[in-house]
Amino acid sequence: MPSQLLERNFASRMLPLAIAAGLIAFSAPPLFYRFASISELKTHAEIYAAQLASSVEEAAEQEPFFWRYNTSKIMWSTSAHRLQEDIGTVTIVDCAGKTVFDGKELELGTGNASGPTGWAAVKVGNRNIAWVRVIMDTAMHRKRYLLIMLFSGCLGAVLGLLLFWFPRRVVRRQAGLLTNTIIRLEKAEKDLTEANLKLSRRVRQAVGAVRSISERLIGVQEEERRRIARDLHDGVGQAVTALQITLKLMRARPSEAKNHLAEAERSAEEILKEIRAAVFALRPAMLDAGDLEEGLRDFVERFELKTGIPASLRATGDLSAVSESLGSLLFRILQESLTNISRHAQAKEVGVTVVVETDCLRLEVSDDGRGFDPEDVSHGSGLRGIKERVSFAGGEMALKTSAGRGTQVMCRFPVLRRGDER
Ligand SMILES: Nc1ncnc2c1ncn2[C@@H]1O[C@H](COP(=O)(O)OP(=O)(O)OP(=O)(O)O)[C@@H](O)[C@H]1O
Ligand SMILES: [Mg+2]
């Protein structure tokens, strides 16, 4: 686990630091005390020596020759040394280096002469006649030193422990949090991977759907071409064949040509009409002129004229804003629906409604004909083609029909305005 690793790493680095801090806390105060106390003792030794030397000087001035035999008395009368418990020994040495007084005689000082030494000269006039030497006793200071060492030892141990234990506790807690975060991150990463997988699956499905829609759309276009070819064959083809027959007759019997002229003219007119109808069926001129409403109205009127079934168009909203591609699609839907009505419905009346709202466009083509079972449309491709085109344009189509109850083809699109097209 990374948290345990972190904790171990931290512990291995923090331990020497804590030990070092503990050692410093342990050794610094006693060392400082020792240094300070030694220099203080040295100063004291020099002051005591100077005081004693001045007492000796007074005696030497009064008794220039005999003072050296009265050193004990001189020392005894000097009170300065008595109060000082830290004096080890006091010695007076004359110019020849001979000891003229040793503190041991008067039990002057503690007798422990292990500390710093202070010297002071005994002068009479300008002449040094002797030296007073004071050696300090460090016993008391040593005791204090040991006490301080004990105290600082405890302090160092506590400090070292605190320095190691507290940060380690903090690190352990943070490592716990870190572990939780890592676990959460791992889970989030897993979720993300799953979401990614789902997404790519969906993208693949969507790509597949788009591909199949495009394939079906191509199929629909092929079917439409076939139908136009069939219409041309049935309508124009038959009229041209009739014209050909008439022309052949006229060539075979030029004397009777006049009789067949009217028939030939009728056939030519028929061909022209069929071609115009086919061209219109392919794309009414109104659409190219950009007037969708007029184009739809014209188509409905032509339907009425051709079939004799009363048909009306009700258009609401601004159709001029509708994009060209959506306009073409509306025209195709109307074309297929009206063709179906004329071929299958036996309707008495047809109604076409186009409504443009703020965010959608609705087209409804209804008839009062014989209706049909919407589940049973497998043999034709017209309605299927409409459905696929509508869904390709982002809209939806619904059929409302049942036997004897007429038919309603309803389409709904998000409005695609002019200029929105790519
Ligand atoms: N308005 C309608 N009234 C009654 N029946 C209809 C109507 N529209 C469609 N149908 C029925 O639904 C069937 C399928 O129609 P669809 O337009 O898909 O094919 P089709 O018209 O038969 O052939 P095509 O591929 O030439 O369009 C039709 O054969 C017809 O039976
Ligand atoms: Mg059809």
Side-chain angles (χ1 to χ4, degrees):
M1 287 295 274
S3 63
Q4 283 167 350
L5 197 73
L6 187 75
E7 203 184 320
R8 256 206 308 277
N9 266 351
F10 176 80
S12 66
R13 265 155 217 211
M14 203 60 202
L15 191 64
L17 208 72
I19 291 174
L23 280 176
I24 290 170
F26 163 66
S27 55
L31 278 176
F32 179 75
Y33 174 76
R34 191 168 169 73
F35 176 75
S37 67
I38 297 277
S39 73
E40 190 193 357
L41 279 178
K42 171 94 179 150
T43 314
H44 282 182
E46 278 163 5
I47 291 169
Y48 298 152
Q51 283 174 350
L52 294 174
S54 88
S55 300
V56 175
E57 267 171 20
E58 273 176 33
E61 274 167 7
Q62 283 167 13
E63 298 174 281
F65 298 107
F66 297 106
W67 66 271
R68 62 174 60 222
Y69 305 108
N70 286 332
T71 48
S72 299
K73 204 171 133 198
I74 297 165
M75 288 294 128
W76 188 249
S77 63
T78 307
S79 60
H81 63 274
R82 271 181 236 144
L83 300 170
Q84 309 306 328
E85 294 172 349
D86 50 359
I87 292 178
T89 59
V90 177
T91 319
I92 300 174
V93 184
D94 69 7
C95 293
K98 192 178 162 198
T99 302
V100 291
F101 173 76
D102 188 345
K104 284 177 194 157
E105 294 166 20
L106 293 176
E107 291 184 357
L108 194 70
T110 60
N112 276 332
S114 56
T117 305
W119 288 91
V122 179
K123 289 184 177 180
V124 174
N126 284 335
R127 202 161 54 89
N128 283 355
I129 58 163
W131 294 90
V132 177
R133 184 179 70 177
V134 177
I135 302 176
M136 302 304 282
D137 182 359
T138 54
M140 204 167 67
H141 286 264
R142 212 175 300 132
K143 260 188 227 158
R144 279 191 210 150
Y145 176 73
L146 283 175
L147 269 175
I148 288 172
M149 220 160 140
L150 190 71
F151 173 75
S152 64
C154 293
L155 186 78
V158 170
L159 190 74
L161 257 177
L162 285 183
L163 260 177
F164 183 68
W165 183 71
F166 258 127
R168 194 180 169 178
R169 227 183 105 193
V170 173
V171 165
R172 186 178 294 168
R173 198 175 302 156
Q174 295 302 325
L177 289 177
L178 192 71
T179 311
N180 285 347
T181 312
I182 288 171
I183 289 170
R184 279 211 301 275
L185 270 177
E186 279 171 357
K187 192 176 169 305
E189 197 186 345
K190 213 171 124 198
D191 290 351
L192 196 71
T193 316
E194 273 172 23
N196 254 339
L197 276 176
K198 267 188 203 161
L199 195 70
S200 45
R201 229 183 351 254
R202 275 197 205 156
V203 167
R204 271 202 302 277
Q205 280 169 356
V207 168
V210 167
R211 192 174 296 143
S212 89
I213 285 178
S214 330
E215 279 165 8
R216 285 209 302 269
L217 210 63
I218 291 168
V220 168
Q221 280 172 348
E222 277 303 313
E223 182 58 34
E224 239 170 45
R225 281 189 196 139
R226 249 198 306 278
R227 199 159 57 192
I228 291 165
R230 197 175 60 215
D231 285 353
L232 283 174
H233 176 265
D234 293 354
V236 182
Q238 278 173 17
V240 170
T241 312
L243 183 62
Q244 264 180 336
I245 293 168
T246 313
L247 288 174
K248 272 181 190 164
L249 273 174
M250 285 164 78
R251 187 197 287 272
R253 295 188 199 136
S255 54
E256 292 173 23
K258 263 189 187 166
N259 301 342
H260 297 292
L261 211 55
E263 203 177 326
E265 269 175 7
R266 250 197 328 275
S267 292
E269 262 169 36
E270 188 66 24
I271 292 166
L272 197 64
K273 214 167 92 191
E274 285 292 338
I275 288 175
R276 278 201 185 128
V279 169
F280 183 81
L282 280 172
R283 191 171 171 84
M286 299 288 187
L287 282 186
D288 287 330
D291 195 341
L292 177 63
E293 188 177 337
E294 205 47 50
L296 297 177
R297 199 174 293 285
D298 192 42
F299 194 73
V300 173
E301 278 167 10
R302 274 170 190 264
F303 169 81
E304 190 178 302
L305 266 177
K306 195 171 147 192
T307 59
I309 306 168
S312 63
L313 173 81
R314 189 174 68 85
T316 320
D318 182 13
L319 259 79
S320 64
V322 174
S323 73
E324 204 174 303
S325 61
L326 186 52
S328 294
L329 181 55
L330 293 179
F331 178 76
R332 292 285 163 224
I333 297 166
L334 185 64
Q335 192 180 29
E336 177 58 34
S337 306
L338 291 183
T339 309
N340 277 353
I341 291 170
S342 71
R343 281 168 69 190
H344 314 294
Q346 298 161 7
K348 290 190 182 64
E349 200 173 348
V350 173
V352 180
T353 311
V354 191
V355 181
V356 182
E357 289 169 352
T358 337
D359 56 351
C360 79
L361 183 149
R362 287 186 291 115
L363 169 70
E364 283 177 25
V365 184
S366 36
D367 66 70
D368 56 355
R370 64 186 178 95
F372 64 103
D373 177 6
E375 301 298 317
D376 185 26
V377 291
S378 46
H379 46 283
S381 62
L383 287 177
R384 205 178 58 227
I386 291 183
K387 195 162 187 173
E388 279 167 4
R389 281 176 166 221
V390 168
S391 97
F392 200 68
E396 46 199 42
M397 178 197 148
L399 267 178
K400 200 173 154 194
T401 178
S402 61
R405 297 224 170 155
T407 304
Q408 231 179 321
V409 177
M410 295 174 290
C411 299
R412 187 189 162 90
F413 302 91
V415 174
L416 194 60
R417 295 177 189 283
R418 276 173 195 280
D420 289 354
E421 296 160 289
R422 267 172 289 155

